[in-house]
Amino acid sequence: MAKRKFGLFTAIALAGSVFLAGCGGDTATDSGEGGEAKDPEFLSVLTGGTTGTYYPLGGAMATIIENETGIDTTAEVSQASAANMTALADGDAQIAFVQTDTAFYAAEGSNMFEGEVIDTVSAIGALYPETIQLVTTANSGIASFEDLKGKKVSVGAPASGTYINAEQLLEIHGMTMEDIEEQNLDFAESQESLQGGQIDAAFITAGTPTGAVESLSATADVSIVPVADDKAAELIEKYPYYAKDTIASGTYGLTEDVPTVSVLAMLVVQNDLSEDLVYDITKAIYENTDQIQHAKAKLIKAETALDGIGIDVHPGAQKYFDEVNK
């Protein structure tokens, strides 16, 4: 049985669980005639905030899943990775977007899940790189990580995936949260605070281009602080779920490529969903990416879907990938 530490999810996600209860509480563990597992009549896909990447992708995927499986499916706003793992363990949703590093922590009971283990959630597959973006403005005077000392910096919600990314990158640069004025803001709040001058920089972990940063670039000259190659190598050696990444010139109006690092976005699912249903969900997503109107859709491929996965893969998803990746 999963042990749980958090109860973080939004009112919308809660509304989804209320709807489930109103439908008789159907889950994959409900028994139909003959005692066979009965799949739900409604699927809830937990995403993230409305200005991140998870939300628009989740909306498109929910439509695809509903069209291909015939099951009513809705994308829900949520507090993203850590909260999503907990919500699935609590039975408040069936599918969720999560960073690969956060899923790993949940499975082993470390970092934000210290001493707790979530073992009722498994992987569907990896999607695309989640780029760690240290965002500031051209007039902030911040050109390196060392320049963050004493500055007001948004690091995401406590125990969030973004928070851990910020903590680990600061560590590699010889700093801790004590060296900055820590601000716990979501992406939209970070954008507004940078725009208004209330903060100096913000860590944002999301697929690029990220809505919040695009919105900021409409009113200010955006600058992304680079991660030097030697620091990226040091980070990857200590935390192997990271990879080197680049934010391309032209993104957010940048005039040159910016080196940084990334983790991966992935989809996770409740273990209790049947093999057949998860097979159908996996097939629906990976074979209909042309229906997703987002730049990251081209990176969602069956042949790379098991890269960087640090937790068990659901048998239904594994069956699909075994078939197509022969």
Side-chain angles (χ1 to χ4, degrees):
M1 181 177 179
K3 298 176 183 177
R4 304 181 299 273
K5 190 170 184 178
F6 299 102
L8 302 174
F9 45 88
T10 64
I12 295 180
L14 275 169
S17 63
V18 171
F19 181 88
L20 281 171
C23 291
D26 287 331
T27 69
T29 56
D30 289 340
S31 296
E33 293 182 8
E36 295 181 357
K38 183 182 179 183
D39 282 321
E41 296 176 1
F42 176 88
L43 293 170
S44 178
V45 181
L46 297 184
T47 61
T50 57
T51 59
T53 304
Y54 289 171
Y55 185 72
L57 284 176
M61 288 182 183
T63 299
I64 291 169
I65 292 168
E66 182 168 321
N67 289 343
E68 296 296 318
T69 68
I71 298 175
D72 289 339
T73 306
T74 302
E76 313 285 0
V77 176
S78 78
Q79 294 178 14
S81 291
N84 288 356
M85 287 296 292
T86 300
L88 259 63
D90 286 341
D92 297 309
Q94 295 73 43
I95 308 168
F97 284 74
V98 181
Q99 290 176 204
T100 49
D101 53 338
T102 302
F104 177 80
Y105 302 147
E108 71 166 9
S110 62
N111 281 310
M112 69 280 277
F113 299 96
E114 187 67 43
E116 307 291 335
V117 173
I118 291 179
D119 57 10
T120 57
V121 175
S122 52
I124 288 180
L127 301 172
Y128 59 88
E130 287 267 66
T131 305
I132 289 84
Q133 305 165 73
L134 178 50
V135 183
T136 185
T137 55
N139 61 358
S140 68
I142 298 173
S144 69
F145 276 78
E146 289 73 17
D147 292 334
L148 295 177
K149 289 183 178 179
K151 299 294 178 65
K152 293 180 180 178
V153 183
S154 172
V155 294
S160 67
T162 297
Y163 186 95
I164 300 297
N165 297 148
E167 196 170 47
Q168 291 169 344
L169 273 163
L170 289 172
E171 174 196 348
I172 292 302
H173 288 86
M175 302 165 65
T176 71
M177 291 291 179
E178 298 298 317
D179 292 307
I180 63 173
E181 288 190 36
E182 174 186 337
Q183 309 291 309
N184 301 117
L185 308 176
D186 64 23
F187 294 170
E189 291 168 337
S190 292
Q191 172 215 323
E192 292 168 1
S193 296
L194 279 167
Q195 209 165 307
Q198 285 88 31
I199 63 172
D200 302 296
F203 283 90
I204 291 179
T205 300
T208 57
T210 307
V213 190
E214 285 191 305
S215 295
L216 177 64
S217 70
T219 60
D221 291 330
V222 167
S223 177
I224 307 291
V225 178
V227 178
D229 190 69
D230 62 328
K231 290 299 182 182
E234 187 179 343
L235 181 73
I236 293 164
E237 183 177 358
K238 185 164 187 178
Y239 303 109
Y241 39 76
Y242 284 99
K244 292 181 181 179
D245 199 358
T246 300
I247 302 174
S249 173
T251 309
Y252 314 132
L254 298 173
T255 57
E256 58 185 23
D257 292 351
V258 179
T260 183
V261 292
S262 64
V263 289
L264 287 170
M266 67 185 293
L267 283 177
V268 294
V269 65
Q270 287 181 325
N271 290 349
D272 286 344
L273 293 191
S274 73
E275 181 175 321
D276 286 346
L277 177 57
V278 177
Y279 175 93
D280 290 343
I281 291 169
T282 308
K283 180 181 175 69
I285 291 167
Y286 287 88
E287 294 190 1
N288 291 281
T289 56
D290 60 322
Q291 297 180 33
I292 301 173
Q293 301 301 311
H294 192 283
K296 290 302 175 189
K298 66 181 183 294
L299 301 177
I300 302 172
K301 301 176 181 178
E303 56 264 36
T304 57
L306 299 181
D307 294 350
I309 300 296
I311 65 172
D312 291 340
V313 178
H314 192 284
Q318 188 68 59
K319 179 182 177 182
Y320 172 74
F321 294 127
D322 286 346
E323 288 180 3
V324 299
N325 292 331
K326 292 178 181 178

